Amino acid sequence: MVDTAAIRYPLLPLRDMVIYPGSVTSIFVGREKSMEATRRAMDADRRIILATQRNAEITIPGLSDLYETGVAGEILQLLKMPDNTYKILIEGLYRVRILDIDNNDEKCQEGIAVAATSLQPAGEKEQHLYQKSIGKLIDAFERLNEQQTFLPAENWRELKVKNDPERMIHAIAECLRIPFIEQQDILGTDNLWERAEKVKAAMENQLELSRLEGQIHDKVRAQLDKMQRQYYLQEQIKAIREEMGDTEPDEFESLRKRAKAKTWSDEIRQRCESEIRKLEKMPPMSAESGVIRNYLDWLLDLPFSEVTTDNADIKKAEQILEESHYGLEKIKDRILEFIAVKQLSSEMRGPILCLVGPPGVGKTSLAKSLADSLGRKFVRIALGGVRDEAEIRGHRRTYIGSMPGRIIGALKKVRVKNPVILLDEIDKISSDFRGNPAAALLEVLDPEQNKEFSDHYLDIPFDLSQALFVATANVTHSIPEALLDRLEIIQLSGYTEMEKIQIANKYLIPRQIEENGIKGVELQYTNKSLAYILRHYTKEAGVRQFERELAQIGRKIAREVVEKTGDTQSYVLDRQSIMRYLGPAKYLYTRKETENPVGKVSGLAWTSTGGDILNIEVALAHGKGNLSLTGNLGDVMKESANTALGFVRSQAHFLGLSADFFEKNDIFIHVPEGAIPKDGPSAGITLVTAIISALTQRGVLSHIAMTGEVTLRGHVLAIGGLKEKVLAAFRGGITHVICPKDNQKDFEEIPQSIRQQMQFHFVSHVREVIPLALVQGHSVFQDKAGLAFYATHLTGSTTQPM
């Protein structure tokens, strides 16, 4: 009999397990309150309430942390373990519904519960279905118990003799390998019919799982038998062929025939024969045989001796380069020099060129033209984001799925050992715990070592000395120094506006007309309209964005051609039509001032997209001698501003300023477009000129722009990117440029057409800048002794009109 009145027994929370009425289970008890509950139950009538926790991580569960339905149990045996914990043997008696937990005693929790009633099917129909469900459940368990013994036969027979359906349901549920959450759901179901259905569903899943496990076992066994059978039959076929004198080559003879046709060294030939002998002795379906077959395929496909004949016609090579690229004379000359030396010296080692320049200037396509002009095959290896050394050297054959590195893979692709190999974006290689790919490239790109390049997968030397490596990069500072030392750097600066227009006329527009299918359209455009697109819709050193804008215009025209069938197909590309096709202008390039402003100077800056005019503004106000720098300036540019101010303060006497002027006034320096970071020392003389202009209230000549680093003593130092800066000045309408005297060596890089339209002033000291840049600048420095001193020690500026 089960008492339906409220009961109060010590509480034993269970973790990740469920105990059913009628089952006898061993439990290890280790929590202090659980151990105290066990002791109190043993001291009383051995009764205890068992409840499963919802979260096993909770040490002292509350009422909400336990499932509502538990089991009243009786402790049959208690053993004290060596670690002072308990092992108890407990029997579940009946289901209970937990009402509350008494936590008044700090040492032990007590559960207050009532017995949970199991509901029998009410009507005759429900009773019939219940009996039928119990029968199916028994049949299913007996089938499962035959496959995997969950209950000994005598225990199962004893259960059937007792004919207690509820006890049988619990016994079967306890045997199933299902999560404790499902076990708890079964225990918490009051309706016996529903409880039986849940156990039956779990049983059917268990039967299906058992069936799948059996199928997998049978398949594995059959596969092993098949491999052994195939090996036996192959050996029989081999013996029969030998008896019949059959000369038809088998797989191994075919491999040996291919190997014999190769021009190999003795080391490679011995390695190949060794691998073939290993393959002969292996079962054909083994994993190791697949690895060896893959290795032999790589070995037989690689071009250890195959080469292409280089083009010896230097005129033809020059024609190919001229047809494919506009300008870039320096790199074209370097390629033609290589071809000329190659004709005179057959032992020449291939140079390792590195084309460095901003995006879109044609570095990758130039490498392809190099291969065409030499008559060699071309292959590109993208190195951007590569961070694993195995990408270069390959994986050792001990790894699953191993294969050679990208260098060997590229040579297999072109099937010659002397192609042009493009290492694209070499400056974007990174490294991590898997190694440094840049270090692996040291051997590849060293002419003294790459004759015996060793790939981890091949494990034999491969001659890379006849390959011509060409690398591309946007910058050189991110390339490791040891790797940079092996490269012949060729700088590709941005195109001038006129060069971009010529490239559009010669290459881009014809290509877009063909790609967009508008060959029959009469397209009228001028260099002025192309210049408008360049200035207002692109901001780059190359022509990539320029071509995208031209492609958009081509697509718009193609649509109009289709929609206006029968109309005159003639289109004029002027400013209005450009705005209709491309929308409002995207960029407003900086132009020179229309007046001579005070405290504002046009500096010149280098950017990743070429050059730009960088205006610097200076203002004064009464204050405490503070210097305020704004405009998102970097540390180097801030130091340059402090250096410029330091020089100006040292010249205060010559400028006619009072001794305490800088203590009573604040100086504000601002560089517009504050969202754009700016850094570098080349704005030094620009800062000095702007400060002196603000102090003396003399305007800065609007047709002047300048660039140059300044020292604390006023000397002007060389800067980089002179060509790009001059191009930006020319585009902005500047006619006079002041630059360091040490940069006269870079003067020849500036296009002749621009040199003819501008005047350049090369200076070595700031005192040479002020007379050139300011209105009435010759009278700025009032001290005659100071002027005499500088006249004695300065070499004088050089003005070079062209």
Side-chain angles (χ1 to χ4, degrees), residues 18 52 54 67 178-186:
V18 174
T52 303
R54 298 179 186 273
Y67 285 103
I178 56 177
F180 81 93
I181 295 177
E182 294 184 25
Q183 296 272 18
Q184 178 66 40
D185 182 45
I186 293 171

Side-chain angles (χ1 to χ4, degrees), residues 119-324:
L119 302 177
Q120 298 284 345
E124 183 178 343
K125 182 179 180 181
E126 287 78 3
Q127 184 69 28
H128 173 72
L129 292 174
Y130 170 60
Q131 294 297 335
K132 189 176 181 181
S133 179
I134 291 294
K136 290 181 178 179
L137 179 62
I138 292 172
D139 292 341
F141 180 75
E142 288 179 342
R143 292 199 307 273
L144 184 63
N145 205 40
E146 290 176 359
Q147 299 174 9
Q148 306 174 45
T149 303
F150 292 103
L151 276 178
E154 53 274 17
N155 291 1
W156 178 243
R157 281 195 298 271
E158 184 180 346
L159 280 173
K160 291 180 71 175
V161 168
K162 290 182 178 179
N163 196 23
D164 183 352
E166 184 173 8
R167 177 67 190 100
M168 294 179 74
I169 292 172
H170 292 161
I172 294 173
E174 187 179 5
C175 294
L176 298 180
R177 299 170 185 170
I178 56 177
F180 81 93
I181 295 177
E182 294 184 25
Q183 296 272 18
Q184 178 66 40
D185 182 45
I186 293 171
L187 179 67
T189 303
D190 291 334
N191 191 298
L192 276 177
W193 182 17
E194 292 180 8
R195 204 183 307 170
E197 287 295 318
K198 288 181 180 180
V199 175
K200 188 175 72 170
M203 176 73 65
E204 289 173 351
N205 291 336
Q206 195 84 26
L207 281 169
E208 181 65 18
L209 181 62
S210 177
R211 186 183 64 81
L212 289 175
E213 288 177 351
Q215 286 181 351
I216 293 171
H217 179 269
D218 293 342
K219 284 183 179 179
V220 172
R221 182 62 181 269
Q223 190 73 14
L224 291 173
D225 293 342
K226 182 180 178 181
M227 289 172 58
Q228 293 174 350
R229 180 171 173 270
Q230 285 183 344
Y231 178 74
Y232 176 71
L233 291 175
Q234 282 185 347
E235 290 298 315
Q236 280 190 328
I237 291 171
K238 189 175 179 181
I240 293 171
R241 282 181 174 173
E242 289 177 356
E243 289 295 326
M244 296 179 61
D246 192 349
T247 58
E248 181 182 349
D250 59 7
E251 177 189 6
F252 309 111
E253 290 178 10
S254 178
L255 291 173
R256 288 191 173 94
K257 187 176 180 180
R258 288 175 62 190
K260 189 175 181 181
K262 306 287 285 187
T263 306
W264 281 345
S265 64
D266 292 340
E267 179 185 0
I268 301 173
R269 197 170 296 283
Q270 290 172 5
R271 171 63 66 86
C272 182
E273 180 59 33
S274 172
E275 296 295 328
I276 292 175
R277 285 199 298 269
K278 284 183 189 176
L279 187 61
E280 285 181 313
K281 297 175 182 178
M282 288 184 178
M285 299 301 293
S286 68
E288 183 65 20
S289 66
V291 173
I292 294 178
R293 280 190 181 88
N294 194 38
Y295 177 79
L296 287 171
D297 285 339
W298 276 97
L299 206 61
L300 292 166
D301 288 340
L302 282 175
F304 285 92
S305 58
E306 293 82 355
V307 295
T308 54
T309 304
D310 286 347
N311 172 35
D313 189 347
I314 196 169
K315 295 293 183 184
K316 183 180 179 182
E318 185 175 5
Q319 181 183 355
I320 293 172
L321 292 173
E322 290 295 335
E323 289 177 353
S324 59

Side-chain angles (χ1 to χ4, degrees), residues 18 84 112 137 191 205 374 398 408 531 553 584 690 741 798:
V18 174
N84 292 324
I112 303 171
L137 179 62
N191 191 298
N205 291 336
L374 292 173
T398 51
I408 295 299
I553 292 174
K741 195 168 187 176
T798 302

Side-chain angles (χ1 to χ4, degrees), residues 310-420:
D310 286 347
N311 172 35
D313 189 347
I314 196 169
K315 295 293 183 184
K316 183 180 179 182
E318 185 175 5
Q319 181 183 355
I320 293 172
L321 292 173
E322 290 295 335
E323 289 177 353
S324 59
H325 286 80
Y326 180 85
L328 306 177
E329 302 302 331
K330 186 184 293 187
I331 180 62
K332 289 179 182 177
D333 289 343
R334 182 64 185 87
I335 294 170
L336 296 175
E337 289 167 7
F338 171 78
I339 296 174
V341 174
K342 186 71 176 175
Q343 288 186 28
L344 300 176
S345 174
S346 59
E347 299 299 322
M348 176 190 177
R349 291 175 179 172
I352 295 139
L353 307 177
C354 183
L355 309 179
V356 180
V361 296
K363 299 184 295 294
T364 303
S365 60
L366 190 60
K368 180 69 170 66
S369 297
L370 168 61
D372 294 339
S373 63
L374 292 173
R376 294 192 181 190
K377 292 188 176 182
F378 174 80
V379 62
R380 172 180 172 270
I381 301 175
L383 296 178
V386 170
R387 58 179 66 245
D388 188 355
E389 180 192 359
E391 295 277 358
I392 307 299
R393 288 188 175 276
H395 299 82
R396 301 189 185 278
R397 283 197 288 162
T398 51
Y399 295 102
I400 296 174
S402 58
M403 60 187 301
R406 295 194 182 193
I407 303 295
I408 295 299
L411 292 171
K412 180 187 177 184
K413 181 179 179 181
V414 294
R415 296 187 178 274
V416 289
K417 64 184 295 187
N418 66 335
V420 174

Side-chain angles (χ1 to χ4, degrees), residues 85-145:
T85 60
Y86 295 157
K87 179 182 179 182
I88 62 174
L89 185 66
I90 195 164
E91 180 183 6
L93 300 177
Y94 53 88
R95 297 186 314 122
V96 296
R97 195 82 65 202
I98 300 171
L99 302 177
D100 198 2
I101 296 177
D102 186 354
N103 290 307
N104 293 328
D105 191 339
E106 293 182 357
K107 295 183 179 180
C108 174
Q109 290 179 303
E110 289 189 350
I112 303 171
V114 294
T117 306
S118 295
L119 302 177
Q120 298 284 345
E124 183 178 343
K125 182 179 180 181
E126 287 78 3
Q127 184 69 28
H128 173 72
L129 292 174
Y130 170 60
Q131 294 297 335
K132 189 176 181 181
S133 179
I134 291 294
K136 290 181 178 179
L137 179 62
I138 292 172
D139 292 341
F141 180 75
E142 288 179 342
R143 292 199 307 273
L144 184 63
N145 205 40

